[in-house]
Amino acid sequence: MKTLKLGTSSLDVPVVAVGCMRINSLDKQAAERFVQTALDEGANFFDHADIYGNGTCEEIFADAVHMSSSVREGLILQSKCGIRPGMFDFSKEHLLASVDGILKRLKTEYLDVLLLHRPDALVEPEEVAAAFDELEQSGKVRHFGVSNQHPRQIDLLKKYVKQPLVANQLQLSITNATMITSGFNVNMENAEAVNRDGGILDYCRLNDITIQPWSPFQFGFFEGVFLDNPKFPELNRVIDEVAQRHSVSNTTIAIAWLLRHPAHMQPVTGTTNVERLRDCIRASEITLSREEWYSILLAAGNKLP
């Protein structure tokens, strides 16, 4: 498994992160096999959130990995917080309580990375800064980041937060690629020229913030996967041709497409199928040509101006 530096941190992390949002759909034996498969393949970066399964996903993971101090040394654990029923909450009180709950469920004394989940409209960045300071000083969190935030929201936090923000988890896939396509439709009058994210892709590159694409196989907002979907015949034809050329699966090519981007992203998988997980991880071995990358982009319905 290839690695990358997570943002400006000293963390060397696998280029593919293992998402644990659906691990609560597995029984004990299947969960153990899933986690062990990831570790056997060198994918020791696990992404969680306190809302996944209302906390049960973190508990199931800790049991599946047979958490202990020696096991913990070989893991890189990331979790997210800030979403509550009917609201978002970045208050100091909630962030501190959330981390305590996460650590208890994961059976660990610290998180390698904590991300703020969906942006809180009522955020008071001074409170976030105070929470981060306390979490860092207590040793409960070593690195910090955000999720689903645009440049100005990050800048607002950075005005008060002294810790580097090392990651931004954002929805991105071949079929949800407006953060890429808006970049080459600059100054055009078409709908594709609409900047929907404040230029977050270039912002993260300029500020050494690692983008973590979530839902790398989804189209829309959890409407389904595009692979082998009759709604995307041309896209699947091209992906299958590229996959055959490299002697890998279409799953591998979908992840390799993200890894080919020079922003050095870290896609977060969502599958609990061990074979598909292996296919995702194998993408770290594939480098698509410029021609292949663009052919896939265009097959998804995007047009060059």
Side-chain angles (χ1 to χ4, degrees), residues 19-40:
C20 295
M21 185 174 72
R22 298 181 178 89
I23 197 172
N24 63 337
S25 67
L26 303 177
D27 61 28
K28 180 178 175 60
Q29 184 177 6
E32 290 178 348
R33 183 177 177 227
F34 170 74
V35 172
Q36 191 58 51
T37 297
L39 293 173
D40 289 345

Side-chain angles (χ1 to χ4, degrees), residues 12-288:
D12 284 308
V13 301
V15 296
V16 176
V18 181
C20 295
M21 185 174 72
R22 298 181 178 89
I23 197 172
N24 63 337
S25 67
L26 303 177
D27 61 28
K28 180 178 175 60
Q29 184 177 6
E32 290 178 348
R33 183 177 177 227
F34 170 74
V35 172
Q36 191 58 51
T37 297
L39 293 173
D40 289 345
E41 297 290 336
N44 67 336
F45 187 106
F46 296 93
D47 175 71
H48 296 272
D50 60 357
I51 63 164
Y52 293 166
N54 292 319
T56 61
C57 291
E58 291 168 329
E59 294 174 340
I60 291 169
F61 173 85
D63 289 340
V65 79
H66 303 286
M67 188 66 79
S68 66
S69 58
S70 59
V71 168
R72 180 66 181 91
E73 291 177 2
L75 305 176
I76 303 174
L77 298 182
Q78 171 176 282
S79 195
K80 302 179 289 291
C81 66
I83 298 179
R84 295 175 56 193
M87 70 178 74
F88 303 131
D89 190 348
F90 287 176
S91 66
K92 178 183 177 182
E93 180 182 20
H94 180 70
L95 295 180
L96 295 179
S98 294
V99 170
D100 284 343
I102 291 167
L103 297 180
K104 181 179 180 180
R105 291 188 293 271
L106 286 174
K107 298 179 181 178
T108 182
E109 295 181 351
Y110 68 95
L111 284 176
D112 294 284
V113 188
L114 174 71
L115 304 184
L116 301 176
H117 219 156
R118 290 279 173 184
D120 177 13
L122 301 181
V123 62
E124 296 184 50
E126 300 94 332
E127 282 202 38
V128 174
F132 282 11
D133 285 346
E134 189 166 327
L135 291 169
E136 182 181 50
Q137 291 163 10
S138 65
K140 293 179 180 180
V141 178
R142 297 186 174 179
H143 304 281
F144 300 85
V146 297
S147 182
N148 307 299
Q149 295 207 12
H150 64 59
R152 299 289 77 79
Q153 291 168 322
I154 296 173
D155 282 343
L156 178 62
L157 287 174
K158 287 170 67 175
K159 180 179 178 181
Y160 299 91
V161 171
K162 69 180 182 183
Q163 295 82 4
L165 300 176
V166 300
N168 189 6
Q169 201 167 109
L170 297 157
Q171 184 176 18
L172 177 62
S173 71
I174 294 169
T175 53
N176 288 56
T178 57
M179 76 168 67
I180 295 174
T181 58
S182 64
F184 56 71
N185 280 282
V186 172
N187 204 39
M188 303 294 291
E189 294 184 354
N190 53 24
E192 291 76 15
V194 176
N195 187 328
R196 304 177 187 278
D197 55 43
I200 190 60
L201 174 57
D202 292 332
Y203 177 90
C204 287
R205 294 182 72 180
L206 283 166
N207 289 275
D208 296 317
I209 297 172
T210 299
I211 292 176
Q212 297 178 330
W214 58 265
S215 289
F217 304 107
Q218 291 279 334
F219 67 93
F221 188 70
F222 294 111
E223 293 179 41
V225 298
F226 55 80
L227 291 177
D228 300 320
N229 190 323
K231 289 185 177 182
F232 303 94
E234 178 64 10
L235 175 59
N236 278 284
R237 182 188 69 79
V238 173
I239 289 176
D240 289 346
E241 287 180 357
V242 175
Q244 185 176 16
R245 194 176 304 134
H246 288 273
S247 300
V248 296
S249 72
N250 57 359
T251 295
T252 300
I253 295 302
I255 296 295
W257 189 84
L258 293 168
L259 294 178
R260 175 62 178 82
H261 196 279
H264 302 296
M265 303 178 192
Q266 185 192 32
V268 180
T269 66
T271 185
T272 55
N273 180 291
V274 294
E275 293 307 320
R276 283 199 289 273
L277 178 61
R278 288 192 181 101
D279 285 342
C280 291
I281 293 168
R282 191 176 180 186
S284 71
E285 305 168 6
I286 303 297
T287 301
L288 300 183

